[in-house]
Amino acid sequence: MAVLIVAACSSDISADEPAAATSTEAAAAPDDTDAPGDGAQPSGGTLVLAVEQWPECINPVTSCANASWTLWSVLVHVLPRLMELDVGNDFVASSLLVEAPSVDNGGLVTAEDGTFTLTYRLNPEAVWSDGTPITSTDVWFTWRAGLDTTGTLSTIGLELITDIDHSDPHTAVVTFSESYAPWQTLFGGLLPAHELGPDTDIADKWNDEITISGGPWISEEWGAQQHIMVPNRNYWDADRIPQLDRVVMVPREDTDSEMLALQTGEVMAAFPQPFPGANDRIAGDLVSAVGEGTFIEGLWINQDAPDRRFDLTTNVRQAIAYALDRERIADVALGSIIPDPQVLQCAGWNPGFGDWCRPDFEQYGPDAAKVAELLEAEGWTRPDPDGLWINADGEELVLAWNTVAGNKRREDVQALVVEMTAPYGIGWEIINYDAGELFQNRLPVMNFGPVALFANSTNPDPSVTSFYDIDGVPTEENGYTGQNFTAYRSQQASDLAFEIDAEVDPAARLELVHQLSKILADDMPWIPLYVLPNLLVWDTSVVDGPGAYASSPYGGFFDMYDWTVTE
């Protein structure tokens, strides 16, 4: 969840190598496979894909964009980007740009007064699917829609922009009030001003259809039962014009039905979350690519949960962490998928790339004495040494816990933790929801938990402002804008997060990240568990080409423009 199209605000360090094929995996399409851009004719055919978490709506700006599958199944295929992640997860100029802004080409300028200017030079051949040129006005409109739309998911980064000069249709000059190091994460999905404007509040538009495309595919039909896409023959990037006639995506929203659909030939490929016993079920013509993960999973603690029975204080949050054997949890969740799964020891950064993730959380492990010390300091008692802790108001230490119903891995983790924490006097009430209900309806309005087990998307930039912005806690007063879903209100942490965004010197930025990491380990706003590996599965008897983007934040289906159907 929490993949934001207009301004990708989550942090991360994602894999710096594409997924490699193992003994149970298949490589991607051969190097000599012709693509339409090389003069070959499209091979045709229909590709059928399983989607694990079906979006309830597909608006790219509102809480609809809070679900990762809104991105993976729709938006990434139809919306153009300024900068994008390549197959190795490095930021590069997309085909919409003539070149990436840099100091050398005058595209990155920091003035003496501290203002920061980006100049994007747009490819004059770039057009929307209706033939309308993609221009700097679309960049301006995307900025304003991100700020002006009712219920916008996040404004981080966009709120620092003071002006976008779009007088030249092929040049967008973006001025920021201060330096903004994660600038490459912005404008990850441009919006067509001529189609959606002139009103820049688009809350009531594109909720159940995307009417125009600036990507390789056109969304022909989207609904509760299927999503049909056809090639965008007006796409200007010849190397990415699809070879297929169409793609049909269908919801298969639990592990068993997803794998059964693959095994019976109902679908040709799936991008499931890792699940127990995966290696045993991927056999015969089914193969997989296991990539380094781009999602960090943990227990996210909602301090504003409307149904909380007591305050989720720092002591309570730390007590929960000291009741968990996170190594055992990681092994149960991932041990059947990858060898020696590692515990995530930082709160917001992915250890797969760079030095951002420092092991500040390694002090937390099973410790009954620490649990008792922390809870007794706030008046909790345990009259029955084998029972639950009870506070001064007579409330037992029982926490409502949500995750995605039907997700076998997460349900196994829940069962394990219920058993694990009972001897420590901590209990749980399991209430699970389908993905759309949890991620698009409940999280954005803080109506969950107080504990939820889910994963947040990460990317190569270490920005974590969306997690810790003190003004980014969604509330009724702010129209439920923001992605600080823990309601963690630390001014010090919030200020440091913004300092990280403003600092352009890599060494100084790293030091700020480590300062924030130590604060988070002391405050425990959420409990990090592990990095989820990415898993892409396909049937080699009917489809050729998958695998290269198994480690991508864009999802394993991103490069399906290069896939072919062999039957």
Side-chain angles (χ1 to χ4, degrees), residues 136-444:
S136 57
T137 298
D138 298 315
V139 180
W140 175 90
F141 183 85
T142 302
W143 165 52
R144 291 313 317 173
L147 293 176
D148 300 340
T149 295
T150 302
T152 187
L153 189 58
S154 178
T155 62
I156 290 174
L158 300 178
E159 87 284 6
L160 297 178
I161 297 174
T162 58
D163 181 56
I164 295 183
D165 182 346
H166 55 111
S167 55
D168 178 347
H170 299 307
T171 305
V173 181
V174 184
T175 302
F176 294 75
S177 59
E178 60 186 59
S179 295
Y180 188 65
W183 63 268
Q184 296 175 103
T185 66
L186 295 176
F187 302 107
L190 288 193
L191 304 174
H194 74 287
E195 178 76 5
L196 293 173
D199 187 355
T200 54
D201 182 344
I202 66 164
D204 295 329
K205 299 178 181 178
W206 277 16
N207 285 300
D208 55 10
E209 63 175 347
I210 303 291
T211 54
I212 199 169
S213 173
W217 299 92
I218 292 173
S219 178
E220 185 175 71
E221 175 190 329
W222 183 89
Q225 300 302 318
Q226 65 180 5
H227 180 209
I228 299 175
M229 287 186 286
V230 296
N232 176 10
R233 298 304 181 193
N234 275 336
Y235 194 48
W236 65 91
D237 187 345
D239 290 334
R240 289 187 177 182
I241 294 176
Q243 303 191 53
L244 300 163
D245 289 331
R246 70 174 188 163
V247 172
V248 179
M249 296 186 180
V250 294
R252 294 296 179 267
E253 297 189 72
D254 64 73
T255 303
D256 287 337
S257 66
E258 195 167 16
M259 287 307 301
L260 183 62
L262 278 164
Q263 291 166 335
T264 60
E266 183 184 359
V267 302
M268 300 172 177
F271 190 55
Q273 291 197 26
F275 58 91
N279 291 335
D280 296 332
R281 299 188 67 176
I282 301 171
D285 290 326
L286 297 182
V287 296
S288 67
V290 179
E292 289 193 51
T294 58
F295 276 74
I296 51 176
E297 186 144 289
L299 299 181
W300 301 79
I301 302 172
N302 176 9
Q303 297 182 49
D304 282 357
D307 297 329
R308 65 190 185 280
R309 299 162 187 167
F310 43 81
D311 289 337
L312 281 301
T313 64
T314 301
N315 280 31
V316 170
R317 301 193 302 269
Q318 288 182 342
I320 298 169
Y322 277 117
L324 298 176
D325 183 343
R326 292 185 296 141
E327 290 186 1
R328 187 178 169 203
I329 292 171
D331 187 63
V332 166
L334 305 176
S336 66
I337 305 160
I338 58 174
D340 191 27
Q342 298 297 302
V343 173
L344 180 63
Q345 301 289 15
C346 61
W349 301 276
N350 188 321
F353 185 84
D355 298 320
W356 312 113
C357 183
R358 193 170 67 174
D360 290 315
F361 282 72
E362 62 185 1
Q363 67 196 27
Y364 292 99
D367 190 330
K370 286 295 292 184
V371 172
E373 175 189 333
L374 289 162
L375 295 177
E376 287 172 353
E378 294 191 340
W380 292 82
T381 60
R382 198 178 185 190
D384 179 355
D386 295 322
L388 297 167
W389 287 91
I390 301 173
N391 69 9
D393 296 326
E395 291 286 351
E396 294 179 327
L397 209 173
V398 176
L399 301 119
W401 184 2
N402 313 139
T403 195
V404 177
N407 185 303
K408 182 71 164 58
R409 182 193 71 255
R410 287 171 175 163
E411 290 175 342
D412 284 355
V413 168
Q414 285 182 316
L416 173 64
V417 169
V418 168
E419 174 188 353
M420 179 183 292
T421 60
Y424 295 86
I426 298 173
W428 304 89
E429 180 184 3
I430 306 299
I431 308 171
N432 294 338
Y433 303 100
D434 67 65
E437 175 67 15
L438 180 58
F439 296 141
Q440 293 182 310
N441 295 337
R442 289 184 171 271
L443 256 71

Side-chain angles (χ1 to χ4, degrees), residues 48 70 108 158 246 261 410 426 445 448 454 505 554:
V48 184
T70 306
L108 292 176
L158 300 178
R246 70 174 188 163
R410 287 171 175 163
I426 298 173
V445 296
F448 72 93
F454 59 82
D505 178 75
Y554 299 143

Side-chain angles (χ1 to χ4, degrees), residues 474-487:
T475 63
E476 185 175 1
E477 290 72 25
N478 68 14
Y480 295 108
T481 294
Q483 293 175 289
N484 181 347
F485 297 129
T486 61

